[in-house]
């Protein structure tokens, strides 16, 4: 869990300082977002030691979206190499939909919206080239 201080006070997205930790992955502060800063630093160190991540999952609950689904990143380019990468990115979601009646491939989304550019999933995909960088989302009725 990367938001223990916020959760203690009933926050889902924000730390105790009020920072939305879902949007601080591009340049996290060591002081204001220490868990995000340390996690990203660990990923950088692993990449430099030739031990890069194979997959990254930033688990989220959602109070209004139904089902369990994935948010992923895919390239907007149409070349053969991009199409092959996009197939690999969607493969995990397809597998989950075959394995679980609770998982919805149809509700999964793989585009990168402008307001999501600073999320963990997108930053890890873009900065470290982790194709299997996802936000698994589960419906949580509050």
């Amino acid at each position: 869990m990367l938001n223990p201080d916020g959760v203690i006070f009933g926050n889902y997205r924000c730390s105790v300082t009020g920072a939305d930790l879902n949007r601080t992955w591009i340049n996290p502060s060591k002081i204001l977002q220490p868990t995000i800063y340390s996690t990203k630093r660990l990923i950088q160190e692993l990449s430099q030691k030739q031990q890069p991540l194979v997959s990254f999952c930033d688990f989220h609950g959602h109070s209004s979206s139904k089902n369990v689904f994935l948010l992923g990143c895919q390239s907007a380019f149409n070349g053969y190499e991009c199409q092959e990468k996009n197939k690999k990115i969607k493969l995990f979601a397809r597998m989950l939909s075959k394995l679980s009646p609770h998982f919805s491939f149809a509700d999964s989304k793989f585009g990168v919206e402008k307001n999501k550019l600073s999320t963990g999933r997108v930053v890890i995909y873009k900065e470290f080239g982790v194709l299997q960088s996802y936000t698994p989302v589960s419906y949580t009725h509050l």
Side-chain angles (χ1 to χ4, degrees), residues 1 10 32 43 60 93 137:
M1 178 185 297
L32 298 177
I43 294 167
H60 283 239
V137 182

Side-chain angles (χ1 to χ4, degrees), residues 60-69 137-142:
H60 283 239
H62 204 288
S63 61
S64 62
S65 294
K66 304 284 190 226
N67 296 324
V68 178
F69 57 93
V137 182
S138 177
Y139 173 67
T140 54
H141 180 68
L142 302 174

Side-chain angles (χ1 to χ4, degrees), residues 36-86:
I36 305 300
Y37 175 88
S38 297
T39 301
K40 188 173 178 185
R41 183 126 165 103
L42 175 63
I43 294 167
Q44 288 170 332
E45 289 174 11
L46 289 171
S47 293
Q48 291 169 351
K49 292 179 181 178
Q50 304 301 316
Q51 298 173 336
L53 289 184
V54 175
S55 181
F56 175 85
C57 289
D58 181 12
F59 293 90
H60 283 239
H62 204 288
S63 61
S64 62
S65 294
K66 304 284 190 226
N67 296 324
V68 178
F69 57 93
L70 282 183
L71 302 176
C73 306
Q74 73 176 15
S75 174
F77 298 108
N78 291 323
Y80 176 77
E81 186 177 318
C82 289
Q83 289 175 354
E84 290 303 305
K85 282 182 182 178
N86 290 343

Side-chain angles (χ1 to χ4, degrees), residues 67-70 87 89-110 134 136:
N67 296 324
V68 178
F69 57 93
L70 282 183
K87 285 180 188 176
I89 290 166
K90 290 181 178 180
L91 180 61
F92 183 56
R94 289 197 188 279
M95 290 170 37
L96 289 174
S97 70
K98 300 289 184 199
L99 294 170
S100 173
H102 305 289
F103 184 85
S104 173
F105 182 80
D107 289 335
S108 296
K109 295 179 179 80
F110 299 93
Y134 304 108

Side-chain angles (χ1 to χ4, degrees), residues 1-19 21 35:
M1 178 185 297
L2 298 179
N3 188 20
D5 60 338
V7 170
I8 288 171
F9 292 104
N11 297 326
Y12 298 105
R13 299 174 67 101
C14 297
S15 67
V16 73
T17 64
L21 297 178
T35 56

